[in-house]
Amino acid sequence: MWRTGRAALVNEDLWKDAPGRIAEGLRELGFRSMVASPIIVEGRLGVVNALSKCGPFAADTPDRMADFTELVGTAVGNAENRAELAASRTRIVTAADEARRRIERDLHDGAQQHLLASRSD
C-alpha cells in the first residue's frame, strides 16, 4: 500500500514464516488477514486498516475499503473546511464589531469636540 498508494490485501502466508516483531505479533495475536487503504485529506496521507482472525478477507475487500476511505477523506475534509469557515466568520464579525465601536467612539468624540468649541465661542 505504501509503495502503490492503493488499497492492499495481505493474508497470513506473508507473515507465517517472516522474521521480525511485527510478523511475530501478528502470529501471536492470531491474525489471518489484513487489508489497508490510504486515506488522503487535503494532501495529508494516513491509513485505515483492518485485521481478521476469522480467515481471509474477500478478494473485493481492498476495493470496498478504498471506496470507504475516499468517503471518510471527503467527510474529514468537509469538517475541517466547516471549522475554518466558522473561524473566518467569527473573525469577520469581531472585526465588524470593532469597526462599529470605533466609528461610534469617533462620532461621539467628534460631537463633544463640536459642542465644546461652540460653547467657547
Side-chain angles (χ1 to χ4, degrees), residues 11-20 22-24 26-27:
N11 291 316
E12 67 184 326
D13 296 342
L14 183 70
W15 63 80
K16 185 169 58 173
D17 299 318
I22 294 174
E24 184 180 317
L26 291 170
R27 286 190 297 271

Side-chain angles (χ1 to χ4, degrees), residues 42-59:
E42 296 182 4
R44 297 181 316 247
L45 177 65
V47 65
V48 173
N49 57 40
L51 297 133
S52 171
K53 290 182 177 182
C54 298
F57 284 108

Side-chain angles (χ1 to χ4, degrees), residues 39-48 68-84:
I39 181 169
I40 301 169
V41 178
E42 296 182 4
R44 297 181 316 247
L45 177 65
V47 65
V48 173
F68 172 74
T69 56
E70 185 178 341
L71 290 173
V72 170
T74 300
V76 170
N78 286 342
E80 288 177 351
N81 288 336
R82 278 194 300 273
E84 290 172 12

